[in-house]
């Protein structure tokens, strides 16, 4: 070959070397850019691709009664979830069919969840049955992004319903979500009433997270780094209640078919033994998924089953309130206990006549309480005056919340001169209002929980405790037990005053001529006061009874209110009596001729915290690894 | 003994090829590990063994036989391409396979070699200076005939490979810079015009400046320039006349990001795989993108993600380095072989493999649009591996006989 040709050849070779070199540098530069400059970003993207953070729901805390029996348990429930970024919207119709829900609902839930994060599973249907679960499991391949989680739902072990005190858990609403903030996401279950609501933070526990590797179809293929980075969920704290669920169940049964409320307290510490509000509702309908029509039905029910009559009502107390006036009179020295009134069956003031049920003749204070003489208290009220009476009521806790440890409470209404002036104007009302107030009628509103505290204060000779249902909380992380502290105060009255009103109350139950003979318990001295509150809406009067037992060293104080049935002595009093029997003897004994009070010791149902028991993990939660059916 | 061996066997080239083949098997194993495609590695091992046999056979062919067979082999492969269009099997919308028992054969792969051989034979003939328009036209015809048949299948990737290897070959064969420009300019104009008006105007401006700088004959310069502009302008009209699926194919080619669930998805996942590898990679069989199948059929066109993800920048650079050694050796061989036929053949075969390498890796790292071509020696696939090994055998053959006139 010619030399010329060789030179050309070498030139061309050099050019090709150059071209190859430049192209390789280009590729190398690109690799440098991807793998060294932006490797962190791509690393994150690859994690998003392949690592799923699946939240693990904590086991909600358990609730125990005063003897340490488990009353609110958990059961596993399966929740179908959708991972938004993997889900093919074209499958919406099929999945909605499978889950038996509206397509629009499903899309709605998906969109809400998606707005939060595309990489977090959205709970679309809670507590699905096994058939639905199997259908979902069978169709996983063709339904990318659809999965399920094991959650726990509440399970109630007692015969009692106790709906208003325990409260329910339900799926968090949009409004609650904004309010609760951190730690809650759409589809979470949140305590929404009663103790479940009030102790939500303690009961809830802390969510965990499980990191899983998923393939391109979103199928979990294993745990990420052997689960080393998983965050276990932290169990919620347990609550120990002051309640006696046998008493609760009995009290509920005594209200069958009635409207009303009952609160029983341990006067020694303010612990709630039973709290009934009727009509009530079955808590288990809330434990899984509540069909909207059931929820609407409960809300629209004219009997208002969701309404807690024990704490949210404002009834006139009727004659049960007479002790307030008696105390006010004695403490201000307006009259002596021996001051007498001649009862002719009615009381005239101006041209207005106030009635009594009976002609009681001459009665002193104790007898007036025993026989519930209205005329005596009409007269007494005019002597005491509105403001002293009102102050005494306030001292016993009326007109303000009791501080019970569930959220919902009505402060009630306790009128004073200032209030009446505000309400009617200074010239707008007269002393003519007073006689009615003196017998607990008219513009006076109390709730059964206030009345129970009032009964407890009378039982305790003034030592008054904040009512509460939770006495201890077990911290599941540390294992320690926190005893919850509640306020205590003393209503300071002369001993003589206590003696007089308490003796009157004892006679109400124990002596012939007392209005609450039906509250009597064999072998035990009990005390109380009936009330029959006129119902401004006609029909029948509300039946009240407050009381306590035993008379000395009382262990139970009670307030019973039954709407529209009639006399307190006929309806409320026997209920209280049976509750006394149940609580003090462990059963209702009044119809048992073989019952011998002499040989039956009184039961002492003290608060007890059972030793920490390791509940089998499976009872509430299938372990995460077993969450997937084979 | 070793000195004698080195004289007749290009140990450097053989070593790089065996290195790449090894890398390929390691990567295919990883890409198919636990992906329900365990059969693939076994097959690839079989192909590698067969490929080595083909390579040895090609190495042992007498040089005279090579020149003699060039044209007949070319026409035979053209016939095969025609018949595959008539009788072939359709795989992913493209008819480019023959079924031979359990194996499928892709004639367009083998045609790459026969086309290069035919070009080498033509360019080494007497009086075939590429300066003449007639010879240039014949050389172009040799390439465009199989390209036309392959485009009919359609297999855009392979067709582009032919064009990509043609330009260095022309350059090597003695074509002037202006000739190369005249061939490249209409293609560039057409492509940029499809992308948009601004890229087109920029391309035309650059083209004008280049043509002016080359100081060629005014009429020729004007002809090349106006032809390119004309092509660019008419491309839109042609595009509008295409069927929707053809338009979509072009759109995806030009802008893979517009189809994130199709071709664009692959590039995205491929970039994530390579980028997340970092400096040293995630470790063998530990690449989440690879192991969890985020890149569909990764063992074929996206095999480069495996070294990128599992061995990081270090691993990817090693693969690049092996290819660099191979390609520069091929170019060196082109200058070392004494016969013109051998010289052109060496450059042609090196260009074919080089075009695959740049297009494939360029696509995997997101520099080039998704064009379905395999990475030589590494991607799974029998036809491609056998073809590449045959090419290596021919190169080794040329080395052994490089001093013969």
């Amino acid at each position: 070959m010619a030399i010329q040709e060789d030179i050309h050849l070498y030139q061309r070779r050099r050019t090709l070397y150059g071209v190859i070199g430049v192209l390789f540098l280009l590729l190398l530069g690109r690799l440098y850019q991807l793998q060294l400059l932006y490797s962190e970003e791509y690393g994150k993207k690859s994690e998003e691709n392949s690592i799923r953070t699946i939240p693990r729901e904590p086991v909600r805390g358990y609730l125990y009664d005063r003897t340490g029996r488990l009353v609110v348990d958990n059961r596993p429930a399966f929740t179908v979830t959708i991972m938004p970024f993997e889900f093919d919207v074209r499958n919406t119709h099929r999945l909605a069919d499978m889950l038996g829900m509206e397509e629009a609902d499903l899309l709605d839930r998906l969109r809400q969840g998606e707005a939060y994060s595309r990489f977090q599973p959205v709970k679309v249907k809670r507590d699905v049955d096994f058939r639905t679960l199997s259908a979902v499991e069978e169709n996983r391949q063709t339904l990318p992004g659809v999965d399920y989680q094991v959650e726990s739902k509440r399970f109630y072990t007692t015969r009692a319903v106790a709906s208003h005190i325990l409260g329910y858990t339900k799926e968090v609403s949009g409004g609650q979500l904004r309010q609760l903030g951190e730690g809650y996401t759409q589809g979470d279950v949140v305590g929404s009433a009663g103790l479940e609501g009030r102790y939500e933070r303690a009961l809830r526990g802390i969510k965990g997270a499980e990191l899983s590797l998923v393939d391109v179809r979103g199928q979990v293929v294993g745990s990420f780094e052997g689960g080393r980075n998983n965050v276990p969920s932290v169990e919620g704290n347990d609550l120990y209640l002051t309640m006696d669920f046998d008493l609760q169940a009995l009290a509920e049964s005594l209200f069958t078919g009635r409207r009303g409320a009952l609160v029983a307290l341990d006067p020694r510490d303010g612990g709630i033994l039973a709290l009934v509000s009727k009509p009530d509702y079955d808590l288990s309908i809330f434990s899984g998924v509540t069909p909207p029509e059931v929820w609407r039905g409960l809300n629209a029910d004219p009997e208002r089953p969701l309404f807690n009559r024990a704490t949210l009502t404002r009834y006139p107390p009727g004659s049960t309130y007479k002790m307030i006036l008696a105390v006010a009179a004695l403490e201000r020295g307006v009259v002596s206990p021996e001051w007498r009134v001649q009862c002719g069956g009615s009381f005239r003031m101006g041209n207005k006549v106030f009635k009594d049920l009976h002609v009681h003749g001459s009665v002193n204070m104790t007898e007036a309480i025993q026989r519930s003489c209205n005329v005596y208290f009409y007269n007494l009220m005019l002597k005491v005056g509105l403001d002293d009476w009102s102050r005494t009521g306030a001292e016993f806790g009326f007109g303000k919340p009791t501080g019970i440890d569930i959220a919902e409470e009505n402060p009630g209404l306790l009128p004073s001169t200032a209030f009446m002036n505000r309400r009617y104007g200074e010239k707008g009302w007269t002393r003519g209002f007073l006689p009615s107030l003196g017998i607990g009628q008219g513009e006076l509103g109390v709730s059964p929980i206030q009345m129970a505290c009032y009964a407890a204060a009378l039982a305790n000779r003034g030592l008054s405790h904040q009512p509460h249902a939770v006495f201890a909380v077990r911290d599941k992380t540390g294992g320690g037990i926190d005893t919850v502290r509640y306020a205590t105060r003393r209503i300071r009255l002369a001993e003589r005053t206590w003696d007089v009103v308490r003796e009157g109350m004892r006679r109400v139950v124990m002596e012939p001529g007392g209005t609450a003979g039906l509250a009597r318990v064999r072998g035990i001295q009990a005390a109380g006061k009936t009330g029959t509150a006129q119902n401004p809406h006609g029909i029948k009067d509300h039946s009240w009874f407050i009381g306590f037992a035993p008379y000395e060293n009382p262990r139970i104080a009670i307030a019973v209110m039954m709407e529209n049935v009639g006399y307190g002595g006929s309806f409320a009093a026997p209920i209280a009596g049976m509750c006394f029997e149940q609580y003090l003897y462990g059963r209702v004994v009044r119809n048992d001729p073989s019952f011998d009070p002499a040989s039956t010791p009184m039961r002492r149902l003290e608060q007890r915290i059972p030793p920490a028991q390791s509940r089998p993990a499976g009872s509430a939660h299938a372990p995460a690894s077993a969450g997937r059916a084979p | 003994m070793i000195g004698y061996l080195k004289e007749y066997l290009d140990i450097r080239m053989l070593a790089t090829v065996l290195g790449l083949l090894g890398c390929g098997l390691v990567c295919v194993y990883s890409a198919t590990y636990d992906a329900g495609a365990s059969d693939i590695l076994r097959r690839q091992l079989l192909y590698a063994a067969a490929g080595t046999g083909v390579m040895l056979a090609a190495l042992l062919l007498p040089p005279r036989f090579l020149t003699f067979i060039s044209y007949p082999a070319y026409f035979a492969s053209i016939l095969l391409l025609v018949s595959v269009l008539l009788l072939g099997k359709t795989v992913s919308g493209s008819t480019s396979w023959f079924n031979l028992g359990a194996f499928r054969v892709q004639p367009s792969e083998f045609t790459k070699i026969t086309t290069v051989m035919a070009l080498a034979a033509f360019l080494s003939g007497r009086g075939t200076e590429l300066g003449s328009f007639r010879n240039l036209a014949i050389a172009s015809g040799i390439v465009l005939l199989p390209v036309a048949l392959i485009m009919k299948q359609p297999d855009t990737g392979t067709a582009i490979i032919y064009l990509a290897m043609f330009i260095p070959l022309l350059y090597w064969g003695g074509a002037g810079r202006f000739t190369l420009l005249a061939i490249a300019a209409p293609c560039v104009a057409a492509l940029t015009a499809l992308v948009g008006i601004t890229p087109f105007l920029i391309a035309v401006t650059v083209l004008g400046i280049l043509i002016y700088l080359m100081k060629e004959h005014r009429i020729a310069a004007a002809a090349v320039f106006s032809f390119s502009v004309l092509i660019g302008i008419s491309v839109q009209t042609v595009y509008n006349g295409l069927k929707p699926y053809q338009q979509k194919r072009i759109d995806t080619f030009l802008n893979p990001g517009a189809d994130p669930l199709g071709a664009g998805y692959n590039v995205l996942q491929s970039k994530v795989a390579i980028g997340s590898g970092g400096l040293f990679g995630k470790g063998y069989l530990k690449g989440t993108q690879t192991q969890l199948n985020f890149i569909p059929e990764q063992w074929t066109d996206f095999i480069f993600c495996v070294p990128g993800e599992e061995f990081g920048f270090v691993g990817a650079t090693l693969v690049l380095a092996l290819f660099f050694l191979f390609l520069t050796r091929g170019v060196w061989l082109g200058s070392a072989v004494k016969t013109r036929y051998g010289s052109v053949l060496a450059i042609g075969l090196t260009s074919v493999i080089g075009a695959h390498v740049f297009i494939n890796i360029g696509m995997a790292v997101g520099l080039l649009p998704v064009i379905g071509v395999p990475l030589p020696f590494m991607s799974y696939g029998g036809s491609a591996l056998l073809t590449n090994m045959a090419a290596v055998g021919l190169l080794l053959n040329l080395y052994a006989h490089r001093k013969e006139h």
Side-chain angles (χ1 to χ4, degrees):
Chain A
M1 260 186 214
I3 291 169
Q4 185 71 27
E5 179 79 352
D6 280 350
I7 292 170
H8 272 278
L9 208 64
Y10 290 120
Q11 237 175 22
R12 287 182 172 160
R13 189 174 83 187
R14 221 178 44 216
T15 312
L16 288 187
Y17 279 163
V19 169
I20 292 173
V22 166
L23 290 176
F24 270 105
L25 279 179
L26 214 65
L27 292 181
L28 207 62
R30 177 64 165 182
L31 285 179
Y32 175 79
Q33 186 193 19
L34 291 180
Q35 300 192 289
L36 300 178
L37 293 185
Y38 294 111
S39 68
E40 220 163 288
E41 264 166 59
Y42 285 112
K44 216 173 279 165
K45 272 192 193 158
S46 112
E47 276 183 20
E48 270 176 14
N49 259 349
S50 58
I51 298 172
R52 288 282 171 286
T53 308
I54 310 291
R56 286 293 164 212
E57 297 298 327
V59 177
R60 200 170 173 84
Y62 299 93
L63 272 64
Y64 296 88
D65 77 356
R66 81 186 275 117
T67 61
R69 264 189 317 178
L70 180 66
V71 287
V72 181
D73 195 357
N74 294 308
R75 287 285 153 95
F78 298 98
T79 299
V80 175
T81 63
I82 292 181
M83 187 69 83
F85 86 103
E86 284 169 350
F87 185 67
D88 186 343
V89 188
R90 280 170 296 183
N91 287 332
T92 310
H93 180 71
R94 199 151 63 91
L95 184 63
D97 255 12
M98 210 176 277
L99 299 178
M101 62 194 290
E102 292 289 322
E103 210 175 325
D105 274 2
L106 185 79
L107 275 176
D108 207 40
R109 303 196 61 120
L110 182 63
R111 245 172 258 141
Q112 281 171 29
E114 208 167 8
Y116 175 71
S117 167
R118 292 184 63 231
F119 298 100
Q120 288 289 321
V122 181
K123 295 173 192 166
V124 290
K125 177 126 191 199
R126 296 182 46 240
D127 196 28
V128 297
D129 58 24
F130 194 72
R131 262 184 45 208
T132 311
L133 190 69
S134 322
V136 168
E137 182 67 37
E138 275 162 30
N139 290 285
R140 282 173 90 94
Q141 298 292 336
T142 55
L143 290 172
V146 179
D147 202 347
Y148 62 85
Q149 291 179 9
V150 189
E151 295 187 295
S152 58
K153 63 172 177 181
R154 284 308 207 190
F155 178 76
Y156 302 92
T157 63
T158 74
R159 284 178 297 133
V161 177
S163 40
H164 294 94
I165 183 82
L166 294 177
Y168 52 86
T169 57
K170 72 179 193 44
E171 201 176 301
V172 67
S173 70
Q176 283 175 317
L177 208 52
R178 275 187 294 280
Q179 206 179 7
L180 291 163
E182 193 78 4
Y184 290 83
T185 54
Q186 190 216 347
D188 279 0
V189 160
V190 64
S192 297
L195 294 171
E196 295 272 20
R198 183 61 177 268
Y199 284 91
E200 163 65 16
R201 297 278 174 187
L203 286 168
R204 178 177 165 79
I206 302 166
K207 275 189 193 181
E210 195 172 303
L211 304 181
S212 305
L213 275 181
V214 296
D215 68 7
V216 65
R217 280 187 211 84
Q219 308 270 12
V220 173
V221 292
S223 66
F224 174 64
E225 295 194 340
R228 254 179 295 143
N229 299 312
N230 289 359
V231 182
S233 61
V234 176
E235 250 187 85
N237 297 333
D238 294 344
L239 302 185
Y240 294 95
L241 309 187
T242 57
M243 295 182 64
D244 170 12
F245 275 82
D246 292 332
L247 177 63
Q248 175 78 23
L250 172 81
E252 284 169 4
S253 72
L254 297 175
F255 271 87
T256 306
R258 303 290 197 186
R259 283 191 313 275
L262 175 151
V263 178
L265 295 177
D266 185 337
R268 297 170 303 166
D269 60 9
I272 291 170
L273 301 174
L275 187 146
V276 177
S277 170
K278 283 278 185 172
D280 52 12
Y281 52 94
D282 184 359
L283 282 174
S284 59
I285 61 171
F286 288 105
S287 64
V289 168
T290 315
E293 62 272 17
V294 171
W295 180 242
R296 274 196 296 273
L298 277 174
N299 268 310
D301 191 330
E303 300 269 278
R304 302 176 72 197
L306 292 173
F307 182 62
N308 188 348
R309 287 170 163 78
T311 59
L312 286 171
T313 43
R314 197 196 266 185
Y315 299 102
S319 300
T320 53
Y321 207 73
K322 282 174 178 165
M323 282 80 79
I324 294 290
L325 180 52
V327 166
L330 294 175
E331 286 295 299
R332 311 284 179 242
V334 175
V335 296
S336 83
E338 297 315 317
W339 180 68
R340 286 192 169 268
V341 165
Q342 187 66 36
C343 169
S346 66
F347 172 75
R348 178 179 291 273
M349 186 180 171
N351 55 4
K352 206 166 175 203
V353 175
F354 297 91
K355 283 186 186 158
D356 204 335
L357 280 171
H358 303 282
V359 177
H360 294 104
S362 170
V363 290
N364 66 8
M365 187 175 280
T366 313
E367 290 158 356
I369 292 174
Q370 176 187 352
R371 301 166 65 188
S372 203
C373 174
N374 286 352
V375 172
Y376 179 93
F377 286 98
Y378 293 143
N379 282 290
L380 192 58
M381 185 66 185
L382 292 177
K383 282 178 162 301
V384 170
L386 180 61
D387 285 330
D388 278 345
W389 169 84
S390 180
R391 269 192 287 276
T392 307
E395 222 174 318
F396 276 85
F398 291 102
K400 56 180 181 279
T402 62
I404 183 176
D405 55 347
I406 58 175
E408 314 86 3
E409 200 177 350
N410 189 327
L413 173 64
L414 180 61
S416 61
T417 304
F419 168 85
M420 297 301 264
N421 285 343
R422 251 200 329 277
R423 176 98 186 234
Y424 297 101
E426 282 184 37
K427 300 256 158 50
W429 63 285
T430 63
R431 282 162 59 82
F433 280 75
L434 295 188
S436 290
L437 291 173
I439 59 159
Q441 309 283 6
E443 219 147 341
L444 176 61
V446 301
S447 66
I449 181 69
Q450 285 175 328
M451 292 300 273
C453 290
Y454 166 50
L458 289 164
N460 255 357
R461 303 177 75 93
L463 193 58
S464 177
H465 302 279
Q466 185 181 356
H468 58 271
V470 174
F471 71 92
V473 177
R474 186 193 295 277
D475 178 3
K476 283 298 201 29
T477 40
I481 290 183
D482 295 325
T483 310
V484 189
R485 303 188 71 81
Y486 295 96
T488 297
R489 66 193 175 90
R490 183 171 280 282
I491 303 165
R492 292 191 187 281
L493 308 179
E495 289 302 312
R496 174 96 175 109
T497 306
W498 290 120
D499 291 343
V500 171
V501 293
R502 290 178 90 251
E503 171 60 15
M505 289 174 75
R506 189 192 64 78
R507 291 193 192 185
V508 167
V509 178
M510 303 308 294
E511 299 294 326
T515 54
L518 289 173
R520 214 170 291 167
V521 177
R522 279 191 278 167
I524 291 171
Q525 292 266 310
K529 181 74 192 81
T530 56
T532 305
Q534 284 162 12
N535 180 1
H537 307 292
I539 333 177
K540 281 179 163 175
D541 294 339
H542 298 325
S543 173
W544 271 107
F545 180 83
I546 64 161
F548 54 88
Y551 183 65
E552 300 299 337
N553 303 317
R555 308 178 72 84
I556 175 170
I558 202 165
V560 182
M561 204 290 308
M562 197 175 266
E563 289 181 15
N564 312 120
V565 286
Y567 294 128
S570 316
F571 296 93
I575 288 176
M578 283 186 267
C579 286
F580 290 157
E581 291 173 10
Q582 168 64 40
Y583 186 66
L584 297 173
Y585 288 131
R587 64 194 179 95
V588 177
V589 297
R590 54 185 53 201
N591 299 318
D592 180 2
S594 68
F595 175 74
D596 173 19
S599 66
T600 311
M602 222 165 55
R603 210 160 62 122
R604 293 185 185 276
L605 213 57
E606 300 301 344
Q607 291 171 0
R608 202 176 73 82
I609 296 172
Q613 55 208 112
S614 57
R615 296 180 49 74
S619 71
H621 244 205
S625 56
R628 218 156 285 282
Chain B
M1 173 67 196
I2 291 197
Y4 179 81
L5 191 67
K6 272 173 97 173
E7 186 60 27
Y8 290 97
L9 185 63
D10 190 349
I11 291 174
R12 185 176 137 182
M13 176 168 285
L14 189 62
T16 49
V17 166
L18 291 180
L20 285 166
L21 212 52
C23 285
L25 290 172
V26 163
C27 292
V28 167
Y29 178 68
S30 176
T32 59
Y33 181 73
D34 206 33
S38 54
D39 200 31
I40 284 177
L41 182 76
R42 206 169 49 76
R43 279 170 173 253
Q44 184 73 348
L45 276 168
L46 215 65
Y47 297 145
T52 311
V54 168
M55 178 185 80
L56 287 175
L59 165 59
L60 297 174
L61 288 177
R64 244 169 260 251
F65 177 71
L66 268 185
T67 33
F68 169 75
I69 195 104
S70 291
Y71 286 124
Y74 175 72
F75 286 115
S77 51
I78 292 296
L79 271 179
L80 270 177
L81 282 180
V82 173
S83 50
V84 85
L85 275 179
L86 301 176
L87 312 166
K89 181 174 163 51
T90 303
V91 172
S92 4
S94 159
T95 314
S96 51
W97 303 85
F98 269 133
N99 258 345
L100 289 181
F103 296 95
R104 292 177 309 189
V105 177
Q106 218 178 350
S108 57
E109 288 293 333
F110 303 119
T111 314
K112 287 170 194 165
I113 290 183
T114 55
T115 306
V116 170
M117 282 168 71
L119 268 176
F122 174 70
L123 291 176
S124 59
R126 246 175 248 281
T128 52
E129 296 307 314
L130 277 172
S132 95
F133 182 75
R134 181 180 158 273
N135 289 338
L136 189 63
I138 292 176
S140 302
I142 291 176
V143 174
L144 288 177
L145 182 56
V147 166
L149 290 171
I150 290 163
M151 284 299 274
K152 201 115 181 91
Q153 290 177 354
D155 182 350
T156 323
T158 308
I160 283 172
I161 292 286
Y162 278 83
L163 295 174
M165 64 92 170
F166 188 44
I167 288 170
L169 206 63
L170 284 179
Y171 175 66
W172 195 256
R177 283 177 300 181
F178 184 73
T179 313
L180 297 178
L181 189 71
I183 291 175
C187 301
V188 173
L191 274 177
T192 50
L194 278 174
V195 173
I197 188 80
T198 318
F200 175 63
L201 288 178
I202 292 171
V204 165
T205 312
V206 172
L207 186 64
I209 293 169
L210 281 176
I211 289 177
Y212 174 77
L213 287 178
M214 284 184 183
K215 297 192 166 115
E216 279 292 330
H217 194 275
R218 260 187 234 142
I219 293 175
V224 167
F225 184 75
S226 45
F227 180 66
S228 301
V229 172
L230 199 69
I231 288 276
I233 291 170
S234 58
V235 130
Q236 198 60 43
T237 328
V238 173
Y239 176 84
N240 290 338
L242 291 176
K243 293 184 180 112
Y245 76 91
Q246 290 168 318
Q247 291 182 349
K248 186 163 190 302
R249 192 168 287 154
I250 290 173
D251 292 345
T252 310
F253 171 76
L254 295 170
N255 184 13
D259 184 18
L261 290 175
Y265 169 85
N266 293 5
V267 180
L268 210 78
Q269 296 294 1
S270 158
K271 274 161 71 182
V272 167
I274 293 169
S276 64
L279 181 57
F280 293 111
K282 297 175 184 168
Y284 190 47
L285 302 181
K286 287 182 184 153
T288 48
Q289 294 284 109
T290 300
Q291 298 309 324
L292 306 171
N293 306 325
F294 281 94
I295 304 149
E297 305 222 349
Q298 200 187 345
W299 49 90
T300 59
D301 293 349
F302 282 93
I303 194 74
F304 188 71
C305 297
V306 180
E309 187 186 17
E310 301 196 337
F311 301 104
F313 184 69
V314 173
T317 305
L318 176 75
V319 171
L320 282 188
L322 285 173
F323 277 119
F324 181 78
L325 286 177
F326 177 84
L327 295 179
T328 48
R329 188 64 170 178
V331 171
W332 170 83
L333 186 63
S335 69
V337 177
K338 290 285 182 276
T339 62
R340 187 167 163 80
Y341 172 82
S343 176
V344 174
L345 184 60
I347 294 301
L349 296 174
T350 307
S351 300
V352 168
I353 291 174
H356 277 95
V357 171
F358 291 119
I359 291 177
N360 179 284
I361 298 181
M363 163 190 80
V365 298
L367 280 180
L368 292 175
V370 175
I371 305 164
V373 304
L375 186 60
F377 311 119
M378 288 185 67
S379 287
Y380 167 80
S383 295
L385 189 57
L386 290 182
T387 305
N388 290 326
M389 291 305 276
V392 171
L394 291 178
L395 288 171
L396 293 177
N397 186 324
L398 293 174
Y399 176 88
H401 303 283
R402 69 190 180 283
K403 289 181 177 159
E404 295 167 17
H405 280 280

